[in-house]
């Protein structure tokens, strides 16, 4: 396979049907094989590339597996304290209204420690894109219970499964923010199949287009697997996600053009 | 045009912020500093004056992180709070120091610990001057003793912050924040344009440019050897600040036998105590640290070679006295006098403390 790439009769511009977007750097990603972050990064980078906004985009990735996103996304980026990305993004956007500003946050970050910042940034209608990777677990710290961990799901801090009577309920943050006046577009997507990747990319594109038009907060949840945290193979993890996560975290648009559609 | 006005200390901070061309203020109400946000919201600089953004955040945690975001984009940004709120900001302060970002923070101190009292205090000295949050870092600390200095230190603080890419703190207290004095306000400065910001701050998040790679603002490095190198760089910066930025004021020190050392409102009380002492023939002088970090160790050490004793006067249980002791190195007697819980001593109490603790002990 690889020797074909070195054959000049094949390697011609007219034969190019796909290439890695220039908005991704050459750095080798630290994400586990099977993790959704790599795919989410790629389609985010493609959207930025296709919209021609690489030099006008500022991203914020706080603590979590994606804290090093700045090593992979070739745009100006800040690392934030755990949960605080929407606060940073609020100021960046208000002081630089012509820039495209996004946050890229995990479930522990966005729906536990950063709940306040998330809700208030959404409620104020900050003109930012919030990308929310929900895999129901704390990946970076080694697989502890997240606010989105499903009932019965086993993690390092609920080794016998999440007991709702003791640990409380999994939090549907996306539905919650959809009810706030300040959100303009709220959707839940996934990246485990080619079709779902295309849908999610379209959702991200829509969110950035809305920001271009000065609309309110756009919130894109991506339900993702964490096969190492879930202690499964990537294939098992995708199957488990489809069978267990999707029935609880239903995919699709929740709010479009400022109107609830679900 | 310069302008003379009668203002509260907190209002002077707010007006000075608009006039120095500040780009953004992010705050949360807390007594006794709420007038900063109230004044800015009444002025509406975003509509009627310079275009400066003003936002009431959902918490002090959010305020300081908005400051982090604004500073990361190279803008001149600030927040203000009082002691319990300032405690909530320590995480953000540590990140901002670790990411080497310039910003201005104001703490109008009240008594603690915990919710404490809304009355004036200087009990956050350790927190302000020794770091405050996690990790080895320092914040440049300015201690105003008048409404005039509340206004002046906004410009000075933000200038020092940008000079060293380091947070600067105005450590005030409820007396200075709430009292009214005449203040000469600086002329209105223009806010920098986005182009000027990009030129002034080539490190900032202003959008990737053709001539540079993408900029990254972070306090994270998982490689310990690189993290240690970075810490050494920070320490070198702090040594530079200690060399260049020590500020203090001496009042009646030339012929003094005894020196009071006090900052902020305590220094104002000591000025009256000097008059009372001198009327009785006791030669008291005052050294007022204006920068609490960097602390004026050298001038105090110099005074220690010729005076008979120091009385450190603070609205706390004895915090700055530790720095004074480091400077005096046991050469002469150093005593502390302080009131706590929001109580402000009278100048007579200070004179009495000098007599019992130092003169009587001879």
């Amino acid at each position: 396979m690889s020797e074909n790439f070195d054959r000049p009769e094949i390697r011609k511009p007219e034969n190019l049907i796909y290439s890695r977007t220039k908005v991704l750097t050459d750095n080798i990603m630290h994400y586990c094989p099977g993790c959704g972050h790599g795919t989410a990064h790629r389609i985010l980078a493609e959207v930025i590339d296709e919209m021609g906004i690489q030099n006008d985009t500022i991203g914020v990735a706080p603590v979590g597996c994606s804290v090093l996103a700045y090593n992979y996304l070739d745009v100006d980026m800040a690392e934030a304290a755990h949960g605080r990305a929407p606060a940073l993004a609020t100021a960046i956007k208000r002081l630089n209204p012509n820039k495209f500003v996004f946050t890229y946050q995990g479930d522990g970050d966005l729906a536990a420690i950063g709940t306040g910042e998330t809700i208030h940034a959404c409620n104020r209608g900050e003109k930012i894109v919030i990308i929310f990777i929900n895999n129901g677990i704390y990946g970076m710290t080694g697989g502890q219970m997240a606010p989105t961990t499903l009932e019965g799901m086993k993690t390092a801090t609920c080794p016998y499964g999440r007991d709702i009577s003791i640990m409380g309920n999994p939090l549907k943050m996306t539905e919650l923010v959809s009810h706030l006046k300040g959100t303009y577009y709220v959707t839940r997507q996934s990246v485990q199949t080619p079709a779902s990747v295309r849908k999610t990319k379209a959702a991200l594109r829509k969110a950035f287009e809305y920001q271009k038009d000065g609309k309110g907060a756009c919130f894109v949840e991506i339900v993702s697997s964490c096969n190492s945290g879930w202690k499964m193979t990537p294939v098992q993890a995708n199957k488990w996600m489809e069978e267990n996560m999707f029935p609880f975290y239903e995919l699709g648009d929740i709010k479009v053009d400022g109107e609830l559609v679900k | 045009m310069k302008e003379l006005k009668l203002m509260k200390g907190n209002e002077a901070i707010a007006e000075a912020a608009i006039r120095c061309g500040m780009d953004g203020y992010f705050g949360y109400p807390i007594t006794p500093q709420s007038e900063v946000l109230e004044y800015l919201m009444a002025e509406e600089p975003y509509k009627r004056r310079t275009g400066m953004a003003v936002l009431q955040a959902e918490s002090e945690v959010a305020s300081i992180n908005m400051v982090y975001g604004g500073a990361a984009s190279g803008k001149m940004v600030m927040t203000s709070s009082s002691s319990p709120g300032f405690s909530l900001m320590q995480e953000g302060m540590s990140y901002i120091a670790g990411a080497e970002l310039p910003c201005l923070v104001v703490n109008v101190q009240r008594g603690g610990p915990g919710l404490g009292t809304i009355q004036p205090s200087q009990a956050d000295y350790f927190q302000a001057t020794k770091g405050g949050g996690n990790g080895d870092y320092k914040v440049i600390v300015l201690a105003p003793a008048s409404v005039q200095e509340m206004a002046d230190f906004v410009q000075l603080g933000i200038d020092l912050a940008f000079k060293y890419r380091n947070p600067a703190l105005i450590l005030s207290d409820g007396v200075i924040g709430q009292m009214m004095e005449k203040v000469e306000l600086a002329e209105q400065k223009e806010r920098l344009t986005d182009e000027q910001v990009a030129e002034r701050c080539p490190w900032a998040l202003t959008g990737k440019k053709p001539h540079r790679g993408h900029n990254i603002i972070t306090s994270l490095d998982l490689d310990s050897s690189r993290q240690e190198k970075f810490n050494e760089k920070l320490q070198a910066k702090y040594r530079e600040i200690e060399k260049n930025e020590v500020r203090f004021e001496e009042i009646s020190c030339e012929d003094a036998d005894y020196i009071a050392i006090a900052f902020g409102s305590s220094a104002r009380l000591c000025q009256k105590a000097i008059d009372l002492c001198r009327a009785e023939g006791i030669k008291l002088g005052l050294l007022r640290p204006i920068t609490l970090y960097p602390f004026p160790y050298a001038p105090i050490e110099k005074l220690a070679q010729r005076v008979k004793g120091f009385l450190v006067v603070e609205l706390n249980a004895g915090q700055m006295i530790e720095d004074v002791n480091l400077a005096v190195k046991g050469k002469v007697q150093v005593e502390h006098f302080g009131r706590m819980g929001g109580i402000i001593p009278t100048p007579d109490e200070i004179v009495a403390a000098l007599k019992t603790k130092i003169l009587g002990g001879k």
Side-chain angles (χ1 to χ4, degrees):
Chain A
M1 184 74 181
S2 64
E3 65 270 21
N4 286 346
F5 291 126
D6 298 328
R7 285 164 59 180
E9 69 272 26
I10 289 175
R11 198 168 177 167
K12 290 176 183 167
E14 60 268 30
N15 288 339
L16 183 69
I17 52 165
Y18 183 80
S19 69
R20 194 171 56 85
T21 159
K22 69 176 189 327
V23 180
L24 285 180
T25 65
D26 288 334
N27 295 325
I28 294 165
M29 287 186 184
H30 71 282
Y31 300 118
C32 306
C35 170
H37 274 305
T39 312
H41 280 22
R42 194 195 81 218
I43 53 178
L44 168 63
E46 285 175 356
V47 166
I48 292 169
D49 193 5
E50 287 160 20
M51 287 179 72
I53 57 173
Q54 183 179 13
N55 295 350
D56 293 310
T57 300
I58 299 173
V60 186
V63 171
C65 283
S66 54
V67 70
L68 293 169
Y70 56 68
N71 281 338
Y72 315 128
L73 295 166
D74 193 17
V75 295
D76 279 5
M77 282 197 77
E79 159 257 334
H82 203 15
R84 316 298 174 221
L88 273 77
T90 292
I92 295 171
K93 183 68 183 181
R94 284 182 180 238
L95 297 174
N96 303 276
N98 299 326
K99 295 284 184 279
F100 291 83
V101 180
F102 72 89
T103 69
Y104 188 104
Q105 307 173 249
D107 42 56
D109 185 90
L110 179 141
I113 196 166
T115 312
E117 285 78 5
T118 305
I119 286 182
H120 285 279
C122 286
N123 197 48
R124 286 190 301 263
E126 299 296 343
K127 297 171 182 64
I128 59 175
V129 174
I130 294 176
I131 301 163
F132 168 34
I133 307 292
N134 175 14
N135 54 19
I137 204 159
Y138 283 74
M140 189 198 211
T141 43
Q144 294 83 9
M145 184 178 74
T148 52
T149 297
L150 296 176
E151 182 175 6
M153 190 173 162
K154 290 177 183 171
T155 74
T157 51
C158 52
Y160 310 110
R162 183 175 191 156
D163 181 341
I164 299 298
S165 70
I166 297 169
M167 300 151 189
N169 298 285
L171 181 56
K172 291 186 175 179
M173 198 65 172
T174 306
E175 276 78 359
L176 203 154
V177 301
S178 73
H179 289 277
L180 304 175
K181 283 263 187 196
T183 50
Y184 193 77
Y185 175 53
V186 180
T187 188
R188 183 184 285 121
Q189 302 292 339
S190 65
V191 288
Q192 86 287 12
T193 62
S196 63
V197 170
R198 277 197 293 276
K199 273 181 155 172
T200 307
K201 186 176 167 184
L204 287 172
R205 174 76 188 233
K206 203 168 187 172
F208 277 89
E209 293 287 353
Y210 282 139
Q211 186 173 155
K212 193 176 186 177
D213 297 339
K215 305 297 186 188
C218 293
F219 192 99
V220 180
E221 174 179 340
I222 302 175
V223 182
S224 180
S225 67
C226 176
N227 49 284
S228 45
W230 295 356
K231 312 218 180 303
M232 297 176 192
T233 65
V235 175
Q236 284 169 340
N238 277 346
K239 187 162 179 283
W240 191 89
M241 176 172 66
E242 288 171 357
E243 289 171 357
N244 296 278
M245 296 280 277
F246 293 171
F248 189 79
Y249 298 112
E250 285 178 51
L251 302 185
D253 289 343
I254 299 171
K255 194 177 195 181
V256 180
D257 293 338
E259 300 291 336
L260 288 168
V261 293
K262 216 174 205 177
Chain B
M1 205 180 70
K2 286 198 176 179
E3 200 180 340
L4 203 61
K5 271 196 172 181
L6 184 67
M7 293 184 111
K8 272 190 173 192
N10 289 336
E11 294 169 343
I13 291 248
E15 179 59 34
I18 300 172
R19 289 187 183 229
C20 81
M22 196 72 68
D23 294 303
Y25 171 95
F26 306 90
Y28 187 82
I30 182 170
T31 308
Q33 67 77 51
S34 296
E35 292 85 357
V36 182
L37 178 58
E38 288 171 5
Y39 185 96
L40 288 170
M41 284 301 194
E43 281 299 306
E44 295 185 310
Y46 40 92
K47 277 190 198 162
R48 296 192 278 139
R49 292 181 65 177
T50 57
M52 171 187 177
V54 185
L55 184 62
Q56 179 169 336
E58 63 270 29
S59 66
E60 288 90 349
V61 174
S63 305
I64 193 70
N65 281 286
M66 288 173 183
V67 165
Y68 181 15
S73 71
K75 301 282 180 171
M76 276 166 52
V77 286
M78 68 175 290
T79 183
S80 64
S81 190
S82 180
S83 307
F86 185 60
S87 290
L88 278 173
M89 292 183 179
Q90 295 311 312
E91 173 200 54
M93 296 286 281
S94 175
Y95 272 74
I96 292 168
E100 293 203 87
L101 296 178
C103 69
L104 181 67
V105 179
V106 181
N107 177 5
V108 183
Q109 296 168 93
R110 56 189 255 184
L115 202 48
T117 169
I118 58 170
Q119 305 301 331
S121 166
Q122 297 179 321
D124 303 345
Y125 178 89
F126 283 149
Q127 186 187 41
T129 59
K130 308 299 175 192
N134 63 298
D136 271 327
Y137 73 93
K138 293 284 190 181
V139 170
I140 298 166
V141 185
L142 301 169
S146 63
V147 174
Q148 185 66 55
E149 284 188 340
M150 287 287 258
D152 294 346
F153 288 1
V154 171
Q155 181 76 64
L156 176 62
I158 200 75
D159 285 348
L160 290 172
F162 271 84
K163 181 175 176 187
Y164 294 100
R165 278 186 65 183
N166 202 70
L169 170 69
I170 295 178
L171 188 69
S172 183
D173 62 61
V175 176
I176 309 290
Q178 291 295 325
M179 73 181 184
M180 293 187 88
E181 284 185 313
K182 69 173 182 200
V183 52
E184 190 178 288
L185 295 162
E187 288 178 31
Q188 180 65 57
K189 279 191 182 173
E190 294 280 316
R191 285 178 53 229
L192 297 183
T193 62
D194 287 351
E195 291 69 33
Q196 287 169 322
V197 168
E199 197 176 324
R200 179 196 202 186
C201 308
W203 44 265
L205 310 182
T206 52
K208 192 174 180 283
K209 308 274 183 296
H211 65 271
R212 66 156 167 90
H214 63 151
N215 278 343
I216 295 167
I217 297 295
T218 183
S219 60
L220 173 74
D221 201 326
L222 295 170
D223 181 317
S224 294
S225 56
R226 282 204 307 262
Q227 184 60 254
E228 187 179 45
K229 285 244 168 344
F230 172 71
N231 268 268
E232 286 165 358
K233 183 184 154 219
L234 276 187
Q235 292 303 317
K237 175 167 84 175
Y238 301 148
R239 297 300 87 77
E240 196 65 17
I241 292 170
E242 287 158 12
K243 200 173 82 188
N244 300 335
E245 306 302 343
V246 172
R247 287 168 171 79
F248 63 96
E249 181 187 21
E250 285 180 314
I251 296 174
S252 308
C253 286
E254 309 78 30
D255 64 340
D257 293 323
Y258 305 96
I259 300 287
I261 301 188
F263 67 96
S265 57
S266 296
R268 297 292 287 270
L269 296 167
C270 285
Q271 278 177 256
K272 182 67 185 171
I274 289 173
D275 297 342
L276 297 175
C277 278
R278 286 185 177 252
E280 290 184 42
I282 305 165
K283 288 180 181 170
L284 179 67
L286 170 69
L287 186 137
R288 175 172 78 93
I290 293 172
T291 50
L292 300 179
Y293 178 80
F295 189 75
Y297 293 106
I300 294 173
E301 192 179 359
K302 205 171 148 200
L303 284 171
Q305 288 162 10
R306 63 172 176 83
V307 302
K308 296 174 186 161
F310 291 93
L311 183 68
V312 182
V313 181
E314 307 173 75
L315 301 182
N316 61 40
Q319 299 192 16
M320 184 173 67
I321 189 173
E322 294 194 3
D323 284 317
V324 174
N325 276 322
L326 285 174
V328 175
K329 297 189 181 87
K331 286 193 192 86
V332 290
Q333 196 179 356
V334 177
E335 295 292 341
H336 181 263
F337 174 68
R339 296 293 303 265
M340 294 174 285
I343 301 289
I344 300 167
T346 62
D348 287 317
E349 283 180 78
I350 296 171
V351 175
L354 178 72
K355 286 178 179 170
T356 17
K357 294 188 176 202
I358 299 181
L359 300 178
K362 265 199 299 190

